[in-house]
Amino acid sequence: MSGIIDQIPENMRDGFVQELRAGRYNLLLGAGASRDSTDSQGNHLPLGGELIAELNALVGTSQTVLADAYEIARMRQPSLVEDHFKRRFVNCIPCEWMVDLTSVVWKRIWTLNVDDVVERAYSMPGREGPLLSASYTWRNPIRDDFGVQAVHLHGRVFETGPLDLIFSITEYVDAIEKKFAWFPLFFNSWVGSPFITIGSTLFGEYDLAQATRIKQPSSSSPSLYISQSIPDEMREQLDLRNLVAVELTAASASAELVELTSESRATAYYQWQSIAAPPADVARFASQFDPLSLRESVRPIGHDFFLGFEPCWDDIVTGKAATFGWHRKLADSVIEELASGIVQKLHVAFAPRFSGKTCASFVVAKLLLEQSIPVFYFRSDRTIDIKATLRVLAGRGEAVLIYDGIADFTLDLQKLMQGAVDGGMKVVVLAFERSTRRQIVLQDISGRFLEIHDQSSGLHTETLSRVDARELIGHVVQQGRYARLQRMNESDRIRLFERRNIFDAMSELEFGQGYRDRIRPRFDALPDFESRMVVFLTSFVNSFGYSMPIFLVEATGLKVAALRGLLSTRAYSDLLVEENGRLTCRYRSVAISAIKSAFPPNSIAESLEAFMTRLAPYMNSTTRKSRNYEYRILRAVMRARGLRIVLPTYALDSLYGKLEGLFGDQAAFWEQRSIASQLARQFVPATSYAAKAVDLAPEEVRRRTTLGRLLILRSYVDVEPGGPESWDLYGQGRSELIHAATLSPRAGVVLLNRFRQTLALYREIVKGGSVLDDYEALESDLADVHRECIDDSSLRHTAEQKIVAEMYGLFLQLRLIRHGEFTAQEAQQIIDRPLPNITEDMEFDDYA
């Protein structure tokens, strides 16, 4: 009998091995997978027919369908059935091949069995392999734990407690109708990730039919159906859905899978794990950080860096990315830090969108590795286990953690740094983040740990300098990707790149002048509304720095299988790239601006509603803590500021109204709805929404900051500045911001908001020429908040101190205007001067 590899189509074999070794395969187990295991008495676990016979004998029935036999038995003798199931399916003894299979790294294990074979296999003494972090049943909320998860889609029998299984037809229907969270997640995984199925009838599972009976996507990473014998009718079913039939015993398949992945255990990825740290800690750390090596890298099938694909580590190892001056500057800063003794530092490089931050993170990692400094690259799948990370790093010695995007994980890193201080060890982190999110970092990270690199510190990332342009040209020529440059002289080549955004400049190498103008015609030529909407939603998600999980295309009405077909065409692949089950727009820097006008607002709103509805199961208390990828996408696309890019302001509240039933228990939802109303100048409902957010999360700094800022904003744009209502609103807002500042030891961002809004109110009163006794109280508040800004450790030695100085200077000038120290013309020029913008959350500059 031929093995797994021999039965996979030749053009898919490399992709299969690569993805299997990378731990990207899901494992789906059916009753046949437990057949070789035994119960606690040594009896083999039953298949469907055998379980029917046991139930019939137990209660005296003569049923031939398992669902009917179980339902009738439960109605007649519930206690007998419960005792029988606990004897048969609790404390099982896993067979040898099942234990061996646990050494393979799985993305997730899904099982249709109600026994505890999987859990017992992972707990066997002497077993080698990743940690089984937890197991869940269909009723549990979605979680993303460290290590491998096992999900019992039909329930699991426990030693204590009643049976809560899906066996009968009514239980199948109940599971489908109530849409428990793990079922849509299984569907999303089935269409977006490769699977290996062992021992399952697959198409006979009623509650999974929505997933298993759709046409399975065809890609370079095939999904396999493994069974000892596969009849012709089953092969027809598999072929229809692009599933690869592998006729092999489970034991033989397990042996081959273990052998295929054994080579990866000799790589750097596994070698580093032999350190003085508990295995569970290493497993948790390994699930979140990749140890980078100059000797080993994997290139995704079909990946081409020069065609606008997202950069990967292989692009850097193979020399495809150029090294710029700011890359070297960051590497030198980290190297200097490592030599400075036990000082915990978080280096953050702020740069604008589309400045090549991801590529820079890999390039700097390469520069550090060339100096023999170990580098661990954060995967961004979910938050880290802080204690496990500290214990692993303590056993490693000198090392650097690199984050591409930090704003979603700032609180974790603050705890990590403080934990290093408490443990007397050194931790150095280098992170890259968009400039617009710097206030989040300033608010959450202590100034004692923070080292900021941006334009104010001499880090120029916006456009290519002449030196960097020359470096890039030489690099591109060396790589042989210089068709457009061939006929240019040196000066013309430099002009093509100098002072240009790196994304725009590189896009023209392959697509030529006018690529920005060519996106829309290609987009308009797509076959239907759904295929165009997929490109739009992908570009929208990309604009926040995320790739779009492929299962989300179903929110547009387009099936994933149809998308796979589109991606095989030149017209579509010129716009979208799919890697590892996620979509990105080619040269995403120009995609959203080129296509957002293609749809009427109502179509965009409906698609966004369906999109966020599909993501709703990922919004729960556990995902808020773990901040997994889908949860962060949902939070990003729900933000009013981002929605305003693609929807008119008047349409925002209607969209939030439709989503209220799904997300109305979330403080973040109400905060964003408040911001949307503020954008529409509907300040009264905005205040109500902001107050609702504070009610739901009274201890969250950002919610109170939003409410306090809004109340002061209303004191000068919604009522007469300086009047009784104005002072009342100002007093409420001031109290909220003072309260917000007490909720965090790093109150700099709150102070900046309070300073700016108070100054805006003061300016409006001065402009109105009112003669009030309250001037002195307001001026005293401004002097106090200025002093607090100066003293605040989170603002010290940052670019924000310049903003503080500018605002204080404007305050002094306004005070002189009040005392008649300027001419009317001079006074008007001062009053017309815009206030400094302090954060991405400031949407109201045109009002202030």
Side-chain angles (χ1 to χ4, degrees):
M1 185 180 294
S2 57
I4 294 175
I5 292 293
D6 297 328
Q7 297 183 61
I8 294 176
E10 189 171 354
N11 66 326
M12 293 183 175
R13 291 174 185 173
D14 289 343
F16 166 71
V17 174
Q18 180 175 306
E19 296 293 280
L20 180 68
R21 288 176 175 170
R24 296 196 179 101
Y25 267 85
N26 288 268
L27 177 64
L28 175 61
L29 301 173
S34 291
R35 182 68 182 96
D36 295 333
S37 300
T38 63
D39 62 20
S40 58
Q41 303 302 311
N43 303 309
H44 281 283
L45 296 179
L47 295 175
E50 295 165 331
L51 186 56
I52 293 172
E54 291 179 12
L55 290 170
N56 284 338
L58 191 67
V59 297
T61 54
S62 55
Q63 297 299 312
T64 58
V65 177
L66 178 58
D68 296 333
Y70 175 77
E71 186 169 26
I72 293 173
R74 286 274 286 167
M75 293 173 66
R76 287 186 175 180
Q77 298 286 349
S79 59
L80 280 179
V81 174
E82 189 170 302
D83 291 343
H84 181 76
F85 269 62
K86 290 179 178 180
R87 283 195 303 272
R88 290 292 266 144
F89 298 121
V90 175
N91 294 321
C92 298
I93 303 171
C95 60
E96 184 177 351
W97 68 259
M98 178 65 78
V99 177
D100 291 341
L101 203 60
T102 65
S103 67
V104 178
V105 178
W106 300 103
K107 184 174 182 179
R108 187 176 276 117
I109 297 175
W110 306 86
T111 177
L112 306 176
N113 301 324
V114 299
D115 55 58
D116 59 2
V117 169
V118 171
E119 290 76 12
R120 298 276 292 174
Y122 273 92
S123 65
M124 294 298 287
R127 184 197 68 86
E128 295 183 358
L131 171 78
L132 180 68
S133 60
S135 63
Y136 300 100
T137 71
W138 53 289
R139 285 192 186 275
N140 298 131
I142 290 175
R143 292 179 64 100
D144 273 316
D145 292 307
F146 302 101
V148 181
Q149 294 173 300
V151 182
H152 291 259
L153 286 168
H154 290 166
R156 176 183 163 192
V157 181
F158 293 93
E159 196 163 4
T160 59
L163 298 182
D164 189 18
L165 311 177
I166 299 178
F167 264 91
S168 69
I169 297 297
T170 55
E171 289 165 341
Y172 278 115
V173 172
D174 183 60
I176 295 169
E177 288 182 348
K178 291 184 178 177
K179 296 181 173 63
F180 291 98
W182 285 108
F183 289 101
L185 182 59
F186 174 79
F187 174 85
N188 298 342
S189 301
W190 182 265
V191 300
S193 303
F195 268 72
I196 293 176
T197 300
I198 299 177
S200 170
T201 58
L202 197 60
F203 306 118
E205 306 296 340
Y206 306 116
D207 52 334
L208 306 183
Q210 183 188 18
T212 59
R213 287 186 171 270
I214 68 166
K215 185 176 175 63
Q216 170 70 16
S218 175
S219 69
S220 58
S221 305
S223 287
L224 312 184
Y225 176 83
I226 298 175
S227 181
Q228 184 172 355
S229 61
I230 304 177
D232 290 342
E233 61 268 24
M234 185 62 171
R235 287 185 178 273
E236 288 180 359
Q237 291 266 27
L238 297 170
D239 182 63
L240 179 66
R241 294 168 177 86
N242 292 325
L243 296 170
V244 175
V246 176
E247 199 165 71
L248 203 61
T249 65
S252 298
S254 175
E256 186 171 351
L257 291 171
V258 171
E259 178 62 27
L260 286 171
T261 56
S262 64
E263 293 182 21
S264 62
R265 296 185 187 90
T267 65
Y269 184 83
Y270 286 90
Q271 287 176 349
W272 71 268
Q273 298 186 27
S274 58
I275 61 176
D281 289 339
V282 175
R284 289 184 170 94
F285 184 82
S287 71
Q288 281 296 275
F289 291 94
D290 285 323
L292 300 182
S293 169
L294 295 175
R295 298 184 300 276
E296 297 166 3
S297 61
V298 176
R299 182 186 306 173
I301 302 297
H303 178 89
D304 192 330
F305 176 70
F306 289 99
L307 286 181
F309 285 50
E310 287 292 285
C312 68
W313 178 236
D314 183 77
D315 295 324
I316 280 67
V317 172
T318 55
K320 291 183 172 57
T323 303
F324 299 142
W326 67 279
H327 301 158
R328 294 188 178 90
K329 185 173 182 178
L330 284 174
D332 290 343
S333 296
V334 173
I335 292 170
E336 182 180 347
E337 191 67 60
L338 287 167
S340 65
I342 300 181
V343 178
Q344 290 70 32
K345 276 296 179 184
L346 172 56
H347 292 261
V348 184
F350 290 110
R353 291 170 57 198
F354 313 126
S355 54
K357 294 185 295 299
T358 298
C359 196
S361 67
F362 283 132
V363 171
V364 175
K366 179 174 181 286
L367 294 172
L368 296 175
L369 288 167
E370 288 173 346
Q371 299 300 313
S372 301
I373 298 169
V375 174
F376 297 98
Y377 198 90
F378 182 55
R379 292 183 180 180
S380 300
D381 291 333
R382 57 188 177 273
T383 185
I384 63 172
D385 184 312
I386 296 166
K387 292 181 180 178
T389 299
L390 286 170
R391 285 192 286 261
V392 169
L393 292 177
R396 278 292 315 176
E398 184 181 81
V400 175
L401 307 180
I402 291 187
Y403 278 66
D404 177 20
I406 189 180
D408 293 320
F409 304 99
T410 47
L411 293 175
D412 304 320
L413 283 168
Q414 169 63 27
K415 293 177 183 177
L416 182 72
M417 292 295 176
Q418 188 59 55
V421 170
D422 297 340
M425 59 180 291
K426 186 178 183 69
V427 171
V428 175
V429 179
L430 173 61
F432 296 77
E433 188 51 85
R434 284 178 287 164
S435 302
T436 53
R437 308 194 78 189
R438 66 181 286 126
Q439 303 301 330
I440 298 174
V441 177
L442 290 176
Q443 180 172 287
D444 292 343
I445 304 294
S446 171
R448 66 185 292 202
F449 303 132
L450 198 57
E451 187 73 28
I452 293 177
H453 303 271
D454 58 10
Q455 192 167 6
S456 65
S457 65
L459 196 72
H460 301 291
T461 62
E462 295 80 3
T463 58
L464 295 171
S465 67
R466 187 173 185 82
V467 173
D468 288 344
R470 186 180 286 110
E471 170 80 18
L472 181 60
I473 291 165
H475 194 78
V476 170
V477 170
Q478 184 182 27
Q479 290 292 315
R481 305 298 289 267
Y482 62 100
R484 284 208 65 227
L485 304 178
Q486 200 165 17
R487 297 181 182 180
M488 294 182 181
N489 59 38
E490 182 71 10
S491 296
D492 289 340
R493 290 179 177 183
I494 290 175
R495 276 195 294 271
L496 179 65
F497 291 100
E498 187 180 5
R499 298 181 182 177
R500 292 281 305 280
N501 171 279
I502 182 68
F503 272 80
D504 285 347
M506 289 298 293
S507 70
E508 292 187 5
L509 283 184
E510 292 293 332
F511 293 98
Q513 189 70 30
Y515 170 70
R516 187 186 299 270
D517 297 328
R518 292 170 64 183
I519 290 180
R520 183 58 185 268
R522 293 178 186 224
F523 175 81
D524 290 339
L526 294 178
D528 50 40
F529 171 89
E530 290 79 10
S531 60
R532 290 191 291 274
M533 182 56 74
V534 167
V535 177
F536 169 77
L537 286 177
T538 300
S539 67
F540 185 54
V541 172
N542 291 170
S543 71
F544 299 107
Y546 302 105
S547 300
M548 188 168 89
I550 198 168
F551 71 84
L552 289 171
V553 304
E554 305 253 341
T556 69
L558 184 73
K559 295 298 183 184
V560 173
L563 174 70
R564 295 284 192 188
L566 286 170
L567 286 170
S568 66
T569 66
R570 174 65 183 274
Y572 217 62
S573 63
D574 274 350
L575 295 172
L576 284 186
V577 171
E578 186 265 320
E579 286 184 335
N580 300 326
R582 294 176 181 174
L583 296 171
T584 55
C585 284
R586 294 270 291 277
Y587 299 108
R588 62 185 183 184
S589 59
V590 294
I592 188 70
S593 59
I595 65 177
K596 66 182 180 182
S597 62
F599 301 99
N602 63 314
S603 295
I604 293 176
E606 289 171 1
S607 294
L608 287 172
E609 180 189 352
F611 183 81
M612 285 187 261
T613 298
R614 198 165 187 84
L615 279 168
Y618 294 92
M619 180 74 86
N620 59 49
S621 59
T622 57
T623 56
R624 283 200 298 276
K625 292 178 181 177
S626 65
R627 291 185 291 287
N628 65 355
Y629 199 77
E630 290 81 6
Y631 169 80
R632 295 190 339 260
I633 290 176
L634 176 57
R635 287 288 298 272
V637 300
M638 192 182 288
R639 294 173 70 232
R641 209 167 7 271
L643 290 171
R644 188 177 58 167
I645 296 172
V646 295
L647 283 175
T649 303
Y650 68 80
L652 296 183
D653 192 66
S654 174
L655 176 59
Y656 284 116
K658 293 176 181 177
L659 295 170
E660 183 179 334
L662 290 171
F663 306 112
D665 62 340
Q666 307 294 325
F669 169 82
W670 290 103
E671 181 185 32
Q672 294 307 316
R673 191 170 186 181
S674 170
I675 293 172
S677 293
Q678 293 174 58
L679 295 171
R681 294 187 66 98
Q682 301 295 319
F683 297 122
V684 174
T687 304
S688 175
Y689 299 149
K692 175 76 170 177
V694 170
D695 287 342
L696 289 169
E699 301 303 309
E700 290 189 10
V701 177
R702 290 166 193 155
R703 313 305 171 216
R704 286 199 177 272
T705 302
T706 296
L707 177 57
R709 189 180 61 221
L710 169 59
L711 288 166
I712 300 181
L713 172 72
R714 289 187 60 194
S715 75
Y716 61 86
V717 301
D718 207 22
V719 297
E720 180 66 28
E725 289 181 282
S726 174
W727 291 122
D728 182 54
L729 288 166
Y730 170 70
Q732 293 178 54
R734 178 178 178 274
S735 296
E736 286 291 340
L737 292 175
I738 290 174
H739 188 172
T742 66
L743 297 175
S744 170
R746 293 165 295 281
V749 173
V750 182
L751 294 173
L752 284 172
N753 277 279
R754 183 180 156 204
F755 195 179
R756 188 180 190 278
Q757 292 302 324
T758 304
L759 181 60
L761 171 60
Y762 183 72
R763 184 177 65 173
E764 291 301 311
I765 294 174
V766 170
K767 183 165 66 174
S770 303
V771 180
L772 298 172
D773 294 335
D774 300 275
Y775 268 124
E776 291 185 5
L778 196 57
E779 289 171 352
S780 177
D781 282 351
L782 285 165
D784 288 344
V785 74
H786 169 253
R787 184 167 51 255
E788 291 180 65
C789 287
I790 294 296
D791 293 340
D792 188 81
S793 61
S794 62
L795 298 179
R796 196 172 297 135
H797 308 305
T798 69
E800 278 66 24
Q801 281 293 351
K802 181 181 178 182
I803 295 174
V804 171
E806 289 178 7
M807 289 196 292
Y808 188 64
L810 180 56
F811 162 56
L812 294 178
Q813 289 179 317
L814 290 169
R815 191 165 64 177
L816 290 174
I817 290 174
R818 186 170 75 83
H819 291 290
E821 297 293 331
F822 290 105
T823 66
Q825 184 178 4
E826 290 171 335
Q828 193 60 50
Q829 289 176 344
I830 293 170
I831 288 172
D832 290 342
R833 188 185 308 160
L835 292 177
N837 195 10
I838 63 172
T839 170
E840 65 168 340
D841 290 330
M842 278 305 206
E843 302 94 347
F844 316 114
D845 295 348
D846 53 331
Y847 305 152

